[in-house]
Amino acid sequence: MKLGVIAIQGDVSEHVEALEKALEQRGEKAEIVTIKHKGIVPGCDALVLPGGESTTLGKLLIREGIADEIRDMNEACKPIMGTCAGLILLATEGDEQVRKTHQHLLGLMDTRVNRNAFGRQRDSFEFQLELPFLDTPYNAVFIRAPGIVEAGKDVTILASIDDMIVAAEQENILALAFHPELTDDLRVHQYFLDKLF
């Protein structure tokens, strides 16, 4: 079993550590690999697209030849989790800001995103989020967070804040506007691993 974390920028080591701890909790073993170049994604059984600067991430995924490999992985219905910028990249459509900056999107999830739905870095916050797969609220960390403003019929909305969708699922894809890797609560990573084990 091999788990990949896109390592071009963002909270890479935090996701690796969270996955390691979650695997240890459940008594499972898997190799966790960080990905900066093409050729590694095809050997992975699951993939995490972490936060970062989405425009830069999109360009580098194309330049490094990783974007098409992620699309192929999705075609094979392997689990993919996108957090923050990862949620943006998974979308089929973006807001005016996404269009204006010619933001590259992978187009894997039938969603339209607002890149800065909750404001700038100084507007970062934490929120007790109710998620249907958890018994108790999850302390979600939002940093310059995006949001989903529209979702297709095949998308399951898992959580919203006011009218903004902040967690959603479509078949093998889990998209989160928040950063589960920045908390000691491993339940979201466990939910993602449930798709494998």
Side-chain angles (χ1 to χ4, degrees), residues 77-164:
C77 280
K78 293 182 178 178
I80 299 171
M81 177 168 70
T83 62
C84 198
L87 171 144
I88 297 168
L89 292 169
L90 290 168
T92 50
E93 191 183 342
D95 60 4
E96 186 180 330
Q97 191 178 17
V98 168
R99 291 189 296 274
K100 192 166 58 177
T101 57
H102 304 289
Q103 164 79 66
H104 174 76
L105 301 174
L106 293 166
L108 303 182
M109 193 173 196
D110 188 11
T111 52
R112 183 164 62 87
V113 295
N114 178 336
R115 198 165 81 177
N116 289 319
F118 294 97
R120 300 199 169 279
Q121 192 88 10
R122 67 177 177 272
D123 301 313
S124 301
F125 63 100
E126 295 181 19
F127 190 86
Q128 293 296 309
L129 204 59
E130 299 278 352
L131 292 163
F133 53 88
L134 300 180
D135 299 347
T136 57
Y138 183 86
N139 187 49
V141 178
F142 292 83
I143 301 173
R144 198 176 164 199
I148 297 171
V149 294
E150 197 175 319
K153 61 178 175 58
D154 295 327
V155 176
T156 302
I157 297 166
L158 300 175
S160 299
I161 296 177
D162 298 326
D163 295 331
M164 195 64 66

Side-chain angles (χ1 to χ4, degrees), residues 165-184:
I165 301 164
V166 296
E169 226 170 3
Q170 183 178 326
E171 296 173 349
N172 54 303
I173 298 174
L174 176 63
L176 309 169
F178 55 93
H179 290 267
E181 75 283 6
L182 296 182
T183 172
D184 292 330

